[in-house]
Amino acid sequence: GAVLNYGVALYFFPALGIAKIAVVLTTGVGLLAYDATRDAATETYLFSDTVGTAMLCYVLLYCVLFINQGQRRNARATHQNLISEVELESSRNAVLDQQRKLRQLATITEALTDPMTIIDTSGKIVWVNDRFEHTFRGDPGALTGADLARAVDWTDASGGKFDAAIAAVAKSGAQRFEVEFDPPGSEPLWFDATLGTLPEYDPDRTLLLCTLRDITTQKSQALELRRLAHAIHNSGNGISFRDADRRITWANRSYCTLVGADLPDVLEKRPEEIVFEHNFADDAIQAFETAMQTRQPVTFETSGLIAPDRPFCFQNTVQPLGTEDDKDMDGFVVVTRDVTDAKVDARKLERLAALARHN
C-alpha cells in the first residue's frame, strides 16, 4: 500500500511524494538505530512497538496531507470555476456588445443615402446597405464574399485604386479617392470613395468601411467649366471680367493682344488706363450703367491709340453677371472685337463714294 501510494504521489504530486518518503525513511532509520542499543530480550517487543509507532506516524501524516491536499484541490477547483464563469460572462458580454454595435451601425448606414459596404483586408465584401444594392444593381447574396474591386462594373483604373487603397489603409490610415462606375448600356457614374478601418466591431479580424458619395453631377459641371474656360481662354475675341468699378479682374490672351499688354499689366485697371490715348471713358461709363440697370447686354465702340503709331477701334459688348435675382452679383463680362480694319475700309469706301458723287 505504501509503495502504491508513494508511486501515485510521485507521479501526480512529485513534491508530496518526496516529502512522504523522506519522513517515513527518517523515522524508520531513527527507530532502527534506537533498537540497536537495546538487549536481545526486549528487542522483539521493542521492534514490534517501533513498527507500530512508525505505521501510526505514517497514517497520521498521510491523513493530514490528504486533508490538506483535499482543501487545496477544492480551493483550486473553486477558483477555476470562478475564472471560467467570469470568462464566460465576459465573452457573452463581448458578443452582445458586438451585436449591439452592428445593429447600431446597420441602422445608421441604412438611413444614409450613400452606398456603403464593409469589407475585410483582402477586399472581400462582408456587408452592403440597400443603397449599395440599388445603385450597383447587385444581389446581396451574390455580392457577399465577392471582391469589391471586381464584383462591380468599375473601370480598370478604378478597380486598381481599390486594391491600392486597401493595402495603404494599414500603413497610412483612411484613404480617399475617386472611382468610376461604368455599367453596360448606361451613363458612367463617378463616386468619391472613403475607405477606413472599422474599429472594435469584430475582434477576430480587421474590417474596413467604404463609403461612396455620388459626384457625377459635380464632375459633369467641372468638365463643362473646364471646357468653357478653355473656350474663353482661346477665343479669338477679347474677353475680360470687370468689377463694379469697371476694373479688369481677368482677361484672356486675345484681350491682352488687342491692348498690347501682358495680363499682370491690365489687372485692376480700367481700359482707358491701359491705352496710349482714348476718347471713350464717358461712353463706357454710360454703357456699363445701362447694362447694370437693365440687366441686358449693351454694345458700344471705343477708339483711340494703343501706341502713338497704332490706332484702334473696338466693338465692346458688356453683359452683367447673373440675373435680376442675383442682387449681390455686381460684375460684368465684356467681349471685345477689333473692328479697326473694318472702320478703315468703311472710311475708304465713304471717301470713294464722295469722290464718285463729286465727279
Side-chain angles (χ1 to χ4, degrees):
V3 172
L4 291 174
N5 185 274
Y6 296 161
V8 172
L10 282 172
Y11 183 78
F12 290 101
F13 307 102
L16 177 61
I18 293 173
K20 287 182 179 182
I21 294 173
V23 171
V24 172
L25 288 179
T26 302
T27 304
V29 170
L31 291 176
L32 289 175
Y34 176 75
D35 287 345
T37 61
R38 300 298 180 179
D39 55 8
T42 60
E43 183 176 357
T44 302
Y45 300 101
L46 184 58
F47 181 77
S48 299
D49 294 340
T50 300
V51 174
T53 303
M55 294 303 298
L56 179 61
C57 291
Y58 165 75
V59 171
L60 292 175
L61 177 63
Y62 182 79
C63 291
V64 171
L65 293 176
F66 181 79
I67 293 172
N68 185 37
Q69 285 297 114
Q71 292 175 345
R72 291 184 179 181
R73 284 194 298 271
N74 290 336
R76 283 197 298 270
T78 302
H79 180 67
Q80 188 64 35
N81 289 337
L82 290 175
I83 292 177
S84 299
E85 291 178 1
V86 170
E87 290 178 348
L88 182 61
E89 186 66 23
S90 299
S91 177
R92 184 184 299 112
N93 292 336
V95 172
L96 293 176
D97 186 58
Q98 180 181 350
Q99 292 176 349
R100 178 180 59 82
K101 290 179 178 179
L102 287 174
R103 286 195 299 270
Q104 291 175 347
L105 178 64
T107 302
I108 294 172
T109 52
E110 291 296 346
L112 296 176
T113 58
D114 294 332
M116 303 182 72
T117 178
I118 296 176
I119 62 176
D120 59 20
T121 52
S122 66
K124 303 298 183 183
I125 297 175
V126 177
W127 171 87
V128 296
N129 67 346
D130 291 340
R131 177 61 62 176
F132 190 97
E133 300 171 14
H134 175 74
T135 303
F136 302 109
R137 306 176 184 87
D139 180 6
L143 289 173
T144 302
D147 190 345
L148 176 60
R150 292 155 189 85
V152 178
D153 292 320
W154 310 112
T155 60
D156 293 339
S158 297
K161 288 182 180 180
F162 275 111
D163 293 334
I166 292 171
V169 165
K171 298 179 180 179
S172 307
Q175 301 292 309
R176 187 173 180 178
F177 51 97
E178 292 182 358
V179 291
E180 184 180 7
F181 173 57
D182 190 15
S186 300
E187 292 295 325
L189 300 176
W190 280 91
F191 292 90
D192 180 23
T194 303
L195 186 66
T197 303
L198 187 64
E200 299 180 1
Y201 278 92
D202 192 338
D204 298 328
R205 58 178 174 172
T206 300
L207 296 178
L208 307 176
L209 176 63
C210 181
T211 304
L212 299 160
R213 184 170 60 88
D214 191 343
I215 57 171
T216 305
T217 302
Q218 294 91 315
K219 292 286 286 189
S220 299
Q221 292 174 347
L223 179 60
E224 291 299 324
L225 287 175
R226 286 196 298 271
R227 290 173 176 172
L228 179 61
H230 180 76
I232 292 174
H233 195 68
N234 296 281
S235 172
N237 294 325
I239 299 176
S240 59
F241 290 95
R242 317 286 180 87
D243 60 16
D245 294 327
R246 299 189 297 113
R247 297 184 184 277
I248 297 173
T249 58
W250 181 86
N252 68 350
R253 284 195 295 252
S254 296
Y255 184 85
C256 295
T257 301
L258 288 176
V259 299
D262 294 329
L263 181 60
D265 298 328
V266 303
L267 294 178
E268 303 301 327
K269 293 181 180 180
R270 299 183 183 94
E272 57 265 30
E273 299 172 355
I274 302 171
V275 299
F276 178 75
E277 183 180 310
H278 68 88
N279 60 358
F280 58 80
D282 293 338
D283 294 339
I285 292 174
Q286 182 61 41
F288 275 81
E289 290 178 351
T290 302
M292 177 60 74
Q293 293 171 1
T294 62
R295 293 283 174 159
Q296 296 295 324
V298 176
T299 300
F300 63 100
E301 290 186 356
T302 57
S303 60
L305 295 175
I306 293 176
D309 59 347
R310 184 183 170 188
F312 73 89
C313 184
F314 295 154
Q315 184 184 72
N316 304 277
T317 301
V318 55
Q319 170 70 55
L321 293 173
T323 62
E324 292 183 359
D325 297 332
D326 301 323
K327 301 299 182 182
D328 296 333
M329 299 186 68
D330 53 359
F332 304 88
V333 58
V334 180
V335 179
T336 303
R337 188 166 61 91
D338 188 359
V339 294
T340 304
D341 294 339
K343 287 292 184 180
V344 171
D345 293 341
R347 283 195 293 269
K348 288 181 179 179
L349 288 174
E350 289 177 0
R351 287 196 295 267
L352 290 173
L355 181 61
R357 285 193 300 271
H358 177 72
N359 293 332

